[in-house]
Amino acid sequence: MSSSANRPRKLGVAAGGGPLPLAVADAARAAGREVFIVGVKGAAGPDIERYPHGWVRVGAMGRFLKLFKQNGCEDVVIIGPMTRPTLRDIVPDFRGLLLLPRFIKRMKTGDDALLRGVVEFLEENGIRVVGAETILPSLLASTGLLSKAVPTPSQEADIDAAIAAARKIGALDIGQGAVVCRGHVLALEDIKGTDAMLGRVAAMPPEGRGSEIARDGVLVKLPKPAQERRVDLPTIGVRTVERAAAAGLAGIAVESGGAIVADAEGVARKADELGLFVLGFPHARTLGVKP
């Protein structure tokens, strides 16, 4: 058998913002894989430049594909947040111009449809898209508590209500999260993301939500029912814990195996410092199945 048949497949990383693109790249390199990163301008940070890399603007789909192809990438991970583009943000190259009608149609449907379009485009051109957890399995949320704090029975009921609310908006490809306090849905995630949703909750009158003195209410994030799970899994990190605390929430719950926890140790430390719980619940709970 030839040496090329034995070598690990070269990994491309389509990088949005945050620490996850480099965490995936580092894990791949530690496993003996070559890595090339394509940073999305306006989202990825300059730290990707410690790897072989290139930059692409939103809409330049021809260059996006060419960078991966020219650099021998066989698998690609799409990872890291980026602001959903508006039509004014998109500056297509020739290939992007040809694809623009397809992507405009998907943009009208929702984020997951748009990302599925990117996945289809890469795979139509011979590049396999893989989930970040296949490179770094520890990213996936596990079942159980990450924190010392434990949800109360009323907060468990809020988790179930938030799961139901998140599933409804997820079925419409709108968002992945909901905030519920004392049985009332306070906020639903939209294209502005989780931070903006938590900011809206923090700005609400204090009598309708928890506070730093008397924490109450929960943030739940879970995949959309028809989610393309190789890209854009719900993600929480230290900043999510900080924003949830600022909104007076008692805790955060995510679907185990269906959400990414960026820096789980840091999330646990910050949750314990601020007195919040962080819980991973099994997929069966999203379907209303009791253990």
Side-chain angles (χ1 to χ4, degrees), residues 17-239:
L20 291 179
L22 279 180
V24 169
D26 290 345
R29 185 168 62 182
R33 299 180 72 165
E34 289 185 77
V35 177
F36 184 85
I37 300 179
V38 174
V40 178
K41 291 180 179 179
D47 49 356
I48 70 165
E49 294 180 358
R50 63 182 173 88
Y51 277 90
H53 68 281
W55 291 94
V56 66
R57 65 179 185 268
V58 174
M61 298 303 293
R63 176 168 171 78
F64 185 62
L65 177 65
K66 185 177 180 180
L67 283 169
F68 288 131
K69 285 280 198 178
Q70 282 188 337
N71 288 279
C73 299
E74 299 159 289
D75 297 340
V76 165
V77 168
I78 301 172
I79 189 74
M82 61 175 289
T83 303
R84 184 183 182 187
T86 65
L87 287 177
R88 287 183 300 177
D89 298 325
I90 298 174
V91 185
D93 56 12
F94 181 71
R95 191 70 171 269
L97 197 60
L98 295 176
L99 292 166
L100 199 55
R102 182 202 296 193
F103 282 101
I104 288 174
K105 183 178 179 180
R106 289 180 176 275
M107 285 176 70
K108 292 178 180 177
T109 305
D111 286 349
D112 195 53
L114 183 59
L115 285 166
R116 280 201 303 272
V118 175
V119 171
E120 289 171 6
F121 169 69
L122 290 173
E123 296 201 324
E124 286 166 2
N125 288 279
I127 292 177
R128 184 175 70 178
V129 177
V130 299
E133 73 281 358
T134 65
I135 310 300
L136 188 56
S138 62
L139 285 176
L140 282 182
S142 57
T143 301
L145 285 162
L146 266 180
S147 58
K148 295 175 183 175
V150 177
T152 65
S154 66
Q155 289 157 5
E156 289 281 8
D158 281 348
I159 291 172
D160 288 331
I163 288 171
R167 280 183 61 81
K168 285 180 181 178
I169 62 165
L172 299 172
D173 198 5
I174 294 172
Q176 300 171 316
V179 175
V180 172
C181 185
R182 303 164 203 152
H184 299 290
V185 178
L186 299 187
L188 300 171
E189 188 183 53
D190 57 20
I191 61 172
K192 294 180 180 178
T194 303
D195 286 354
M197 174 177 63
L198 292 173
R200 295 196 302 273
V201 176
M204 292 176 179
E207 58 269 19
R209 59 178 178 85
S211 67
E212 292 185 18
I213 298 171
R215 295 201 173 282
D216 208 355
V218 300
L219 162 66
V220 164
K221 295 192 71 173
L222 71 163
K224 299 167 186 173
Q227 177 94 36
E228 166 54 86
R229 290 192 173 219
R230 289 174 293 175
V231 293
D232 195 34
L233 278 180
T235 301
I236 64 168
V238 172
R239 185 167 71 170

